Amino acid sequence: MPLMPGAEPFRHRGGRVGVLLVHGFTGSPQSLRPWADHLAAAGLTVALPLLPGHGTRWQDLRLTRWEDWYAEVDREFRELADECEQVFVCALSMGGSLALRLAARHGEAVAGLVLVNPSVRSDNPASVLLPVLRHLVPSLPGVANDIALPGAAEVGYDRMPLPAVWSLGRLWQDVQALLPEVRQPVLLLHSPQDHVVSPANSELVLARISSTDVTELLCERSYHVATLDHDAELIFEASLDFIRRLAPLATVEAENHLG
């Protein structure tokens, strides 16, 4: 199947500090591409993969499970870790769950996490019916494009296949159990007006991780896809400051890059 416009993966070879960016459920790299471009322009090595089943048509997502999405993220992370001295992981929505799992599994190899509206739990009471419904109902209406900024649009599916939604729930269960193993520095940005992921998700992350270096920022003017919304520049600049604080090499290489 051909890719949706803007859904192609992105990679940029920069300096010895790397950043892995992870998009959300039914989304695509397009939702994070401006963020990736900003980090690449600062001299960082950047990887923004397309998760399996995404970026084509929603029926393709039906054939994948969370283990497939995580395997792709893990593979990209290992490649970056081979190339770079430090690797940070930045993520949106479900990408936040995958990033947290990566941090719990890889420990100090993950230098830090930047999470934007991470999803780690179900906000729908009807989710308890998913084990049965996934065999009876093909799909539900999609959640893409929750953006306040006029004219901005997210490239994503307009339907969610229920087998994949059920698998997403299994991912959340797995990640919730692993949260105490997350000890890396964390920058968490979330939108008070998010129509896809409730504030309870960020609260759960902040309550259960073992990290001591934690910064929380609010994206007051944005909805769920804050990386394409009014607060995009806040996310880009705050994440770059966070990375440079923890990886002084990133500042040195940026100066060389610009020089």
Side-chain angles (χ1 to χ4, degrees), residues 158-234:
D158 58 2
R159 306 292 299 179
M160 300 187 297
L162 256 67
V165 175
W166 171 79
S167 188
L168 175 59
R170 302 296 291 258
L171 169 64
W172 286 335
Q173 292 175 6
D174 181 80
V175 169
Q176 286 177 26
L178 291 173
L179 286 177
E181 296 181 33
V182 176
R183 298 177 172 83
Q184 295 87 343
V186 171
L187 169 61
L188 192 151
L189 304 101
H190 62 101
S191 307
Q193 297 185 78
D194 186 329
H195 305 100
V196 177
V197 173
S198 76
N201 286 262
S202 290
E203 292 168 6
L204 180 61
V205 171
L206 294 172
R208 291 200 188 172
I209 58 175
S210 299
S211 307
T212 54
D213 182 345
V214 179
T215 303
E216 179 185 10
L217 296 176
L218 294 181
C219 298
E220 297 276 8
R221 301 183 301 145
S222 301
Y223 295 161
H224 182 61
V225 192
T227 50
L228 296 177
D229 216 326
H230 290 287
D231 295 292
E233 288 300 322
L234 166 67

Side-chain angles (χ1 to χ4, degrees), residues 34-83:
W35 192 4
D37 288 339
H38 186 87
L39 298 174
L44 302 172
T45 290
V46 176
L48 171 53
L50 173 65
L51 300 181
H54 291 76
T56 52
R57 55 177 194 155
W58 69 262
Q59 290 89 342
D60 293 333
L61 184 57
R62 179 182 176 87
L63 305 175
T64 65
R65 299 294 180 266
W66 76 260
E67 292 89 348
D68 303 313
W69 316 326
Y70 180 75
E72 179 65 12
V73 170
D74 187 77
R75 184 186 66 78
E76 289 278 354
F77 174 78
R78 291 175 188 272
E79 282 194 16
L80 275 178
D82 286 342
E83 297 175 26

Side-chain angles (χ1 to χ4, degrees), residues 1-195:
M1 286 297 297
L3 291 181
M4 302 169 76
E8 59 276 352
F10 171 75
R11 195 170 181 92
H12 170 80
R13 184 179 291 276
R16 290 169 288 173
V17 177
V19 183
L20 171 62
L21 294 104
V22 190
H23 68 77
F25 184 68
T26 73
S28 76
Q30 178 263 353
S31 61
L32 302 183
R33 182 59 188 269
W35 192 4
D37 288 339
H38 186 87
L39 298 174
L44 302 172
T45 290
V46 176
L48 171 53
L50 173 65
L51 300 181
H54 291 76
T56 52
R57 55 177 194 155
W58 69 262
Q59 290 89 342
D60 293 333
L61 184 57
R62 179 182 176 87
L63 305 175
T64 65
R65 299 294 180 266
W66 76 260
E67 292 89 348
D68 303 313
W69 316 326
Y70 180 75
E72 179 65 12
V73 170
D74 187 77
R75 184 186 66 78
E76 289 278 354
F77 174 78
R78 291 175 188 272
E79 282 194 16
L80 275 178
D82 286 342
E83 297 175 26
C84 302
E85 292 187 16
Q86 286 179 281
V87 179
F88 293 82
V89 185
C90 300
L92 169 68
S93 195
M94 175 194 75
S97 268
L98 298 173
L100 286 160
R101 191 175 201 278
L102 205 64
R105 291 299 190 202
H106 286 274
E108 293 180 357
V110 175
L113 296 175
V114 182
L115 308 173
V116 178
N117 292 322
S119 72
V120 293
R121 49 160 280 169
S122 173
D123 297 316
N124 188 342
S127 61
V128 295
L129 302 176
L130 276 174
V132 175
L133 282 180
R134 67 190 172 107
H135 299 295
L136 305 174
V137 180
S139 67
L140 293 173
V143 294
N145 224 28
D146 186 36
I147 303 173
L149 180 65
E154 180 188 16
V155 173
Y157 295 151
D158 58 2
R159 306 292 299 179
M160 300 187 297
L162 256 67
V165 175
W166 171 79
S167 188
L168 175 59
R170 302 296 291 258
L171 169 64
W172 286 335
Q173 292 175 6
D174 181 80
V175 169
Q176 286 177 26
L178 291 173
L179 286 177
E181 296 181 33
V182 176
R183 298 177 172 83
Q184 295 87 343
V186 171
L187 169 61
L188 192 151
L189 304 101
H190 62 101
S191 307
Q193 297 185 78
D194 186 329
H195 305 100

